[in-house]
Amino acid sequence: MARQLILVEGLPGSGKSTIAKMVSDILIQRGLRVKLFQEGDLNHPADYEGVAFFTADEFGDLLDSHPACLDILESKAITYRNGYLIPYRKIKEELGEAFPDHTVEEIFSRDIYELPFEQNKDLITSKWRSFTESVLAANDDTVIIFECCFIQNPLTMGLVKCNQSREDNVNYVLELERIVQALNPLLIYIDQKDIAYTFDKAVMERPKEWSEGFIQYYTNQGWGASRGYHGVPGTVKVLQARKELETEIYQILKMDKYWLDNSEYNLSFCQNELENILNEAFKGVGGERRRQ
């Protein structure tokens, strides 16, 4: 069976972007056709980034509240099921000040990752089904690489934001596994052992707005808020809980998978490891591979 999908997962700061790009480069050097979609891609084929969902009634109310944007919203909204998808970030990038910030803020309140858990899961799994069907229908040998949307996004929604049960979170990811099974996927999970050190490093290196937003997201709602967590220490505790659940999910998944230890994280180590992983993966060797 052709391998058409590679999934790169791990906690923030584990090196997902670097590893995903290295996988892409290795496969391209071997003459394969590759499409890499990294976190935040507004044109992601299986996930939503900067997209809101409004029912027909909600969309009507939005138009009434923002008459100056009526033409923009009616022309840019995408009819979907019983409502509309609004790619508000793409619209903002295209139109700038002509698409007012207060309108964007109201639309953001219905971002797909701000919706209730079950509604989010329904929309996301439907998008993954459409993606899988489109890949199978294309009938070509392109290898598609996704960074972080397979495990990270469901758990960010289910655990971090909504504090859903273990079963809800596990089943969300297992449903995605069932959907992509026909693409013969390979999962590369980057094991981040020292979560506190990595997060502290990210806080020091990244803009203050990033760290404040991240900490607020992880401690002011869902799992963190239910336990009264605050600040950097509280955020690390939520990340540790997420890592425990991701590890459990990894062990349950039946797809081909590889656990990449980033305690030796350097480019030459990763290059050699990824060469070995991909040699096995594209020879059709199944099952889990873990560096001894």
Side-chain angles (χ1 to χ4, degrees):
M1 183 188 301
R3 189 176 302 281
Q4 296 176 275
L5 180 63
I6 297 177
L7 305 160
V8 180
E9 293 285 338
L11 293 185
S14 61
K16 296 187 300 296
S17 297
T18 301
I19 295 299
K21 182 63 166 59
M22 291 179 72
V23 171
S24 175
D25 291 343
I26 290 170
L27 295 180
I28 289 172
Q29 290 168 7
R30 296 182 180 186
L32 296 177
R33 290 191 290 178
V34 177
K35 290 183 179 178
L36 169 61
F37 294 92
Q38 293 188 303
E39 186 173 10
D41 193 315
L42 298 182
N43 297 304
H44 202 290
D47 196 27
Y48 290 107
E49 179 69 32
V51 179
F53 176 77
F54 285 72
T55 66
D57 288 342
E58 290 167 344
F59 187 65
D61 292 341
L62 180 68
L63 296 179
D64 291 340
S65 301
H66 300 270
C69 293
L70 188 146
D71 290 342
I72 294 172
L73 293 171
E74 287 189 331
S75 63
K76 300 294 185 180
I78 302 164
T79 303
Y80 185 76
R81 295 184 175 178
N82 62 333
Y84 298 87
L85 297 171
I86 305 178
Y88 61 91
R89 279 189 56 193
K90 291 178 73 173
I91 299 172
K92 184 63 176 177
E93 285 189 1
E94 177 186 348
L95 300 180
E97 293 182 2
F99 193 46
D101 289 342
H102 69 276
T103 302
V104 175
E105 290 173 5
E106 182 168 341
I107 295 172
F108 169 76
S109 68
R110 298 293 300 168
D111 185 281
I112 288 172
Y113 281 97
E114 295 295 322
L115 298 176
F117 176 78
E118 289 298 337
Q119 192 175 13
N120 167 272
K121 180 181 177 183
D122 179 52
L123 288 163
I124 295 295
T125 53
S126 179
K127 185 77 179 285
W128 278 82
R129 288 190 192 94
S130 296
F131 158 72
T132 300
E133 291 167 1
S134 68
V135 172
L136 295 174
N139 195 30
D140 66 24
D141 57 0
T142 299
V143 180
I144 299 168
I145 303 170
F146 288 162
E147 175 208 347
C148 86
C149 61
F150 176 70
I151 296 177
Q152 173 177 288
N153 288 3
L155 294 197
T156 299
M157 185 70 190
L159 177 71
V160 180
K161 180 176 176 57
C162 299
N163 194 24
Q164 296 292 129
S165 68
R166 170 200 168 276
E167 289 75 18
D168 286 341
N169 286 290
V170 171
N171 288 335
Y172 193 163
V173 181
L174 292 183
E175 176 63 20
L176 297 184
E177 181 185 35
R178 285 190 288 270
I179 290 169
V180 300
Q181 183 178 8
L183 303 181
N184 192 18
L186 168 69
L187 169 65
I188 299 173
Y189 188 90
I190 309 168
D191 180 23
Q192 180 180 344
K193 293 192 180 337
D194 194 339
I195 297 172
Y197 170 80
T198 303
F199 186 67
D200 286 343
K201 184 171 181 289
V203 168
M204 294 180 63
E205 294 177 349
R206 299 184 184 186
K208 184 179 179 180
E209 292 77 15
W210 177 87
S211 59
E212 289 179 347
F214 194 98
I215 291 168
Q216 180 179 4
Y217 191 93
Y218 267 65
T219 60
N220 287 9
Q221 58 185 343
W223 200 86
S226 72
R227 286 155 178 78
Y229 292 155
H230 301 284
V232 171
T235 304
V236 170
K237 289 181 179 179
V238 181
L239 286 168
Q240 289 170 337
R242 187 183 134 188
K243 171 65 180 302
E244 291 175 5
L245 187 52
E246 290 187 2
T247 302
E248 181 180 351
I249 289 172
Y250 176 90
Q251 294 167 346
I252 296 171
L253 291 169
K254 297 179 181 178
M255 64 174 59
D256 287 359
K257 55 193 177 182
Y258 192 102
W259 187 270
L260 181 63
D261 182 357
N262 83 340
S263 62
E264 301 180 55
Y265 190 75
N266 61 68
L267 292 180
S268 59
F269 166 76
C270 290
Q271 180 79 22
N272 292 334
E273 284 292 275
L274 293 174
E275 291 278 1
N276 293 333
I277 293 169
L278 297 172
N279 282 340
E280 294 185 359
F282 284 85
K283 287 179 181 176
V285 178
E288 176 181 351
R289 298 288 180 268
R290 182 189 295 267
R291 183 176 185 271
Q292 300 299 320

